[in-house]
Amino acid sequence: MDKIQINGGRKLYGEVSISGAKNAALPLIASAILVNGKTRFTNVPDLMDIKSIKLLLEDLGATCQSSQGVLEIDGAHIHKIEAEYDLVRKMRASILVLGPLVARFGHAKVSMPGGCAIGARPVNMHLSGLEALGAEITMDHGYIEAKASRLIGNEIYFDTPTVTGTENLMMAASLAKGTSVLRNAAREPEIVALADALNNMGARISGAGTAIITVEGVQNLSSSEIAVIPDRIETGTFMVAAAATGGDVLIKDCEPEHLGSIISKLKAAGAEILTYPDSIRVMGKDPIHSVDIKTVPYPGFPTDMQAQFMALMTIADGNSVIHESIFENRFIHANELLRLGADISISSGNLAMVRGVKKLQGAPVMASDLRASASLVIAGLVAEGTTVISRVYHMDRGYEFIEKNSHNWTPISFESKKIPDMR
Ligand code: EPZ
């Protein structure tokens, strides 16, 4: 898909079902490399990034069979330890095969993932962590090479919490000799989901979800069936869309527990939010109050929701300050929001001042990355007139047919009937 046309100025009403989380599925699929046999995943989202990592695993010799959200991977016949540039450049998260390959085969060659629109995206902490486990790391013509006859458990201290760094090293340590302790580890729900999956396969991991994760290495891991957790960022995106349009949306098959910071900020912005065991109802209210946010590691406000929340703040009743503390260049969407009539100024690269305006006007805009495209969709829904968003292939990387989801919504006219009380 390359363009989305949005006829804005309408409230969103209805129900939407959330798919499996992209950022949970990617490390889970990489973990199948650790198993000399089959691993079965359910609730796998249908996304470009999932197709990319499947292609990568097949290139290594794994077999991948998928249908209707179920993915079965057989790692028994992996015969190659090199993740090539052409495959890695399509998706930086390919770095997640590095730890599993060197842990199981004692050798891995992975193309340097390189940066992306939002930042340089270094992987130094991944590499220093593997060195701490005894791997010999060399760089050669754009490739990372890691060698170790067998990884040895050790203490690993992250300078800052890194999500895929924690995931890579948790997977590597699972097959190391002895115990490893990961300190200042990332605490995201996707980390907990990966630890649960690895423990299902026979690993011995404790502390996932806290800053200190202990991994007792084992000889091998075995086949297992794993369900991918709901996508908290997709959930948050639909929550912000409902609040921004003043609509009333029931978001189903999600995990409200993972959305504490987003619920808190949307309530401060004036939205009414009802939470149920596996769904959230969001009712947008006028006026939208301006709210300051700072993106920080989980359980704080997620950087992957910053662009979407900025779109909401463009029509708030005052000024809001948005501090992006995770990535160095994650305000690209601001320039496109200006084209829709927003009033935003960026200072010192990671602070944005958003002055609320009465309304946005539709215009042609261009997406630059996955979450920026979601921000422009939200702004287009709010804007009066037509907005055409180009380069929305970024959207395909992380959202299952967002426009289809909107068609799939059950248009409940809430004025006439309430959602059944599911308490
Ligand atoms: C994961 O990226 C997510 N991707 C990102 O989602 C998300 O924005 C990010 O975590 C932060 O929550 C996946 O899970 C596939 P980090 P990751 O390592 O792991 C610095 C999306 O839109 N750093 O937690 O690459 C880094 O530069 C994507 O779905 C180092 O300096 O992010 C950043 O400033 C975008 N050295 C900070 O740490 C390292 O070795 C956090 O990055 C690693 C990271």
Side-chain angles (χ1 to χ4, degrees), residues 84-235:
E84 299 188 7
Y85 171 69
D86 262 357
L87 291 166
V88 174
R89 71 182 176 81
K90 291 194 181 86
M91 189 194 54
R92 329 184 37 269
S94 308
I95 192 72
L96 285 164
V97 305
L98 179 65
L101 283 172
V102 70
R104 181 172 164 207
F105 299 103
H107 191 190
K109 268 187 88 170
V110 176
S111 167
M112 275 294 279
C116 70
I118 63 176
R121 312 294 295 276
V123 292
N124 58 306
M125 290 192 275
H126 297 239
L127 305 185
S128 51
L130 286 174
E131 283 178 324
L133 298 181
E136 180 202 339
I137 303 284
T138 52
M139 309 294 287
D140 180 35
H141 292 91
Y143 278 79
I144 302 161
E145 187 159 15
K147 286 181 184 169
S149 47
R150 182 164 184 205
L151 295 173
I152 309 293
N154 200 348
E155 295 258 330
I156 293 169
Y157 178 80
F158 294 111
D159 297 342
T160 56
T162 158
V163 174
T164 49
T166 301
E167 291 163 345
N168 230 338
L169 289 152
M170 209 162 58
M171 290 190 280
S174 296
L175 291 183
K177 184 174 186 309
T179 299
S180 301
V181 180
L182 280 55
R183 297 186 187 281
N184 201 21
R187 300 164 53 190
E188 275 69 4
E190 293 76 28
I191 307 274
V192 177
L194 178 62
D196 290 347
L198 291 167
N199 286 337
N200 269 345
M201 298 173 187
R204 294 199 199 115
I205 301 172
S206 57
T210 75
I212 300 175
I213 299 176
T214 302
V215 185
E216 264 181 73
V218 295
Q219 281 293 348
N220 52 46
L221 297 178
S222 50
S223 297
S224 175
E225 174 159 336
I226 292 132
V228 177
I229 60 171
D231 193 317
R232 61 192 169 97
I233 304 302
E234 185 188 26
T235 306

Side-chain angles (χ1 to χ4, degrees), residues 236-317:
T237 302
F238 282 110
M239 291 171 70
V240 171
T245 60
D248 188 340
V249 175
L250 178 65
I251 301 161
K252 303 188 299 182
D253 306 320
C254 65
E255 178 46 81
E257 275 298 301
H258 297 162
L259 286 127
S261 63
I262 295 158
I263 290 170
S264 162
K265 288 296 181 181
L266 281 178
K267 282 184 174 173
E272 187 180 343
I273 297 178
L274 300 175
T275 55
Y276 306 95
D278 63 357
S279 57
I280 299 177
R281 180 179 177 186
V282 179
M283 291 153 274
K285 302 290 176 197
D286 254 339
I288 294 167
H289 301 311
S290 53
V291 175
D292 295 342
I293 59 163
K294 178 180 180 183
T295 64
V296 289
Y298 190 90
F301 192 91
T303 176
D304 291 350
M305 280 299 305
Q306 179 260 106
Q308 299 90 313
F309 204 81
M310 182 183 279
L312 176 68
M313 290 295 102
T314 64
I315 52 168
D317 63 355

